[in-house]
Amino acid sequence: MPDPSPRRLPGLSPILFQIHWFIGITAGMVLMVVGVTGALLSYQDEILRALNPGVLSVAARPEPALPPAELIRRIEAASGGRVASLTLAAAPDRPARAFLTPREAPPPGTRPRRELRLADPRDGSLLGTPVGEGFFRTTRELHRWLLAGAEGRIVVGVSTIALVVLSLTGLYLRWPRRVLSWRAWFRIDPKLRGRALLWRLHAVIGTWVLPLYVLAGLTGLFWSFDWYRNALFDLTGAPRPNAEAGPPRGEGAQGQGEARARGEGRAVRPAVDLDAAWTVFLRERPDYATAQLRLPNPGQPLRITYVEAEAAHEDARSSVAINAAGEVVEHRRYAEQPLGHRLMGSILALHSGSYFGPLGTALMMVASLVMPLFGITGWILYLGRRRMKAARAAAGGRRPRPAGEAPAPPEGSRA
C-alpha cells in the first residue's frame, strides 16, 4: 500500500490513503478468494472437455444427427423427464444438451427440479456425468457467494465495490510527478530491496491490472445486487431476460444455465413442427456454432437462440422466432442490436475477458491469479508502517531505518 505524499490536492491524499489501506486489510481476504476462484473458472469448459472424452465430446461417425423431434423423443424415453430446451452444436464432436423437467407437476408453491443431460446427437443415447463438474460448481459458488447463500453474495458484492474503490484510490495515490514517463508508471527497479521493493510491486503491478480489475468489478456487481442489475438495464435500455431468453452462460454444467421451466414445470409439446422449424432455421443461418431450441407454449412461435460460427465471443447471441406456418416472424441479430443491448447480453463475457478474445481471457485469468499479491504486500506494508511508527515514537520522533534497507520512496518520487 503506497505511502501518502503531497499532491495537487494535499488534503485529499491522506484521506484516500486511509480509505485505501483500511479497505485493503478488511476486504482483501475476500478479494483474494474471489480472485483465485475466478482464475480457476477461466478455462472451465476447456478443462472439463479434456477430462471427459466420450462425455463432453462424442466420436465422429458418418451418420447424420437425428432431427430435433426424434432426438427429444429418445432423450425423454431414456431419462423419464420432459425436455424443456435442447442445445445443438454444429461441430460433429459436441454432444447435445437437454434441460429436463419432471413429467409430474411439482407441489404447489415449489419449483420443479431441473436437470441437464448430455446426449449423443446421432442416436439420442445419454452420456455420463462429467468428471470435475462438482469441483467447478463448488468453485463457482465460492466465487459468487462464498458458499454462504444470500449473506455471502452480499459480502462478495460489497468486496467487489471495494475492489473498484481500491483501484481508483490506488491510481490517485501512485500518480507520478512525471506523468508521461513510462518508467514511472510501469518499471520495477530490480535493485530495490525490502519495503521499497514491496511498495513498487504493489504499485506497478496494480497499474498493469487496474483496467481489468475495474472491468471485473463493475460487471461482477451484476450478480451481487438486484438494484445494480436493474440500473444497468435501465441505463442501457436493454430488455430484461424473460422466459423466452436463453439461460445465462456460466450456470451449471459446461457453462450452460439451468433452464427455468414454464407453466406448471412441465415442458409442453409445441404446436410448431420442430423439424420443419429447424429446417427453416438452417436455411436462415447455416453458419451457426450452437443453437438452443426452447419448446414454446401452444400458440407461441419457436424461438431458437444461436451463436454464429464466426462470433466474436460465446455470448454473442442472436435469435430467430418461427411460427407454426414455418415463417420467420422475428430475427434479432446480435450485430444489429444497439451497443447497450450487446453489452448487457455479453456481461459474463466482459467479466471473464472473453469478450476481447482468447487474449482477453488469458489476461483476466492472470490478473485474477495475482490478486493475493496485493493482499499480502498490502498487509506487510501496513504492519511495517505500524512497527516504524512504534519505533519512531520510542526514539522520540526520529524515524529509524533498518540497517541495509533502502527507504520506501514516497509515491511518485521515482521515475
Side-chain angles (χ1 to χ4, degrees), residues 165-351:
V165 176
L166 283 170
S167 300
L168 298 180
T169 55
L171 176 64
Y172 181 88
L173 290 170
R174 75 133 314 181
W175 196 270
R177 291 185 174 87
R178 290 182 286 179
V179 177
L180 300 182
S181 171
W182 70 268
R183 291 175 179 269
W185 282 106
F186 303 112
R187 182 174 178 269
I188 298 175
D189 188 349
K191 297 179 182 179
L192 293 175
R193 294 294 183 271
R195 189 165 177 266
L197 176 61
L198 291 177
W199 176 86
R200 194 65 182 171
L201 289 172
H202 191 96
V204 173
I205 297 178
T207 302
W208 294 348
V209 299
L210 185 145
L212 298 174
Y213 284 172
V214 172
L215 175 62
L218 294 179
T219 53
L221 289 172
F222 179 91
W223 291 279
S224 295
F225 299 114
D226 292 340
W227 60 263
Y228 183 84
R229 181 167 53 253
N230 293 333
L232 287 181
F233 281 116
D234 292 338
L235 180 64
T236 60
R240 287 169 169 76
N242 52 44
E244 294 301 322
R249 188 174 62 88
E251 302 287 344
Q254 300 83 57
Q256 297 297 321
E258 291 184 343
R260 180 173 295 180
R262 295 180 294 277
E264 294 299 320
R266 296 165 291 177
V268 182
R269 299 301 85 180
V272 178
D273 187 318
L274 292 182
D275 294 343
W278 182 247
T279 301
V280 172
F281 168 74
L282 292 179
R283 190 164 58 244
E284 186 82 8
R285 289 280 20 158
D287 58 342
Y288 77 99
T290 61
Q292 183 190 59
L293 295 78
R294 291 181 62 86
L295 277 63
N297 289 321
Q300 294 182 345
L302 172 70
R303 185 170 295 277
I304 300 177
T305 303
Y306 68 93
V307 177
E308 297 178 9
E310 300 299 325
H313 55 85
E314 62 271 34
D315 283 344
R317 298 189 187 94
S318 304
S319 66
V320 175
I322 303 170
N323 64 16
E327 301 169 334
V328 176
V329 295
E330 185 182 43
H331 193 167
R332 300 176 185 172
R333 294 176 174 84
Y334 175 83
E336 296 175 356
Q337 297 176 29
L339 176 61
H341 294 200
R342 297 200 305 271
L343 292 176
M344 290 304 297
S346 307
I347 198 75
L348 182 56
L350 287 165
H351 185 70

Side-chain angles (χ1 to χ4, degrees), residues 23-33 159 166 371 375 379:
I23 292 177
I25 66 173
T26 53
M29 292 299 296
V30 174
L31 290 175
M32 285 191 279
V33 172
S159 300
L166 283 170
M371 188 81 75
W379 264 103

Side-chain angles (χ1 to χ4, degrees), residues 55-248:
V55 178
L56 296 181
S57 61
V58 294
R61 301 198 301 272
E63 61 264 34
L66 293 172
E70 177 62 17
L71 180 57
I72 288 175
R73 186 190 69 78
R74 295 193 186 188
I75 292 173
E76 291 183 340
S79 66
R82 301 280 282 181
V83 173
S85 70
L86 179 70
T87 300
L88 303 172
D93 63 338
R94 296 294 178 87
R97 290 188 284 266
F99 287 98
L100 306 176
T101 58
R103 291 181 179 273
E104 300 78 17
T110 63
R111 288 186 175 183
R113 177 178 57 85
R114 300 176 293 274
E115 181 183 12
L116 171 65
R117 298 301 301 268
L118 306 174
D120 190 321
R122 292 173 179 81
D123 58 19
S125 59
L126 298 181
L127 306 175
T129 301
V131 173
E133 166 59 22
F135 168 79
F136 281 109
R137 181 170 57 251
T138 301
T139 301
R140 185 168 49 252
E141 292 173 357
L142 182 61
H143 179 73
R144 288 193 174 178
W145 47 77
L146 303 177
L147 303 177
E151 293 80 6
R153 187 177 76 154
I154 294 174
V155 172
V156 171
V158 172
S159 300
T160 303
I161 296 174
L163 175 63
V164 178
V165 176
L166 283 170
S167 300
L168 298 180
T169 55
L171 176 64
Y172 181 88
L173 290 170
R174 75 133 314 181
W175 196 270
R177 291 185 174 87
R178 290 182 286 179
V179 177
L180 300 182
S181 171
W182 70 268
R183 291 175 179 269
W185 282 106
F186 303 112
R187 182 174 178 269
I188 298 175
D189 188 349
K191 297 179 182 179
L192 293 175
R193 294 294 183 271
R195 189 165 177 266
L197 176 61
L198 291 177
W199 176 86
R200 194 65 182 171
L201 289 172
H202 191 96
V204 173
I205 297 178
T207 302
W208 294 348
V209 299
L210 185 145
L212 298 174
Y213 284 172
V214 172
L215 175 62
L218 294 179
T219 53
L221 289 172
F222 179 91
W223 291 279
S224 295
F225 299 114
D226 292 340
W227 60 263
Y228 183 84
R229 181 167 53 253
N230 293 333
L232 287 181
F233 281 116
D234 292 338
L235 180 64
T236 60
R240 287 169 169 76
N242 52 44
E244 294 301 322

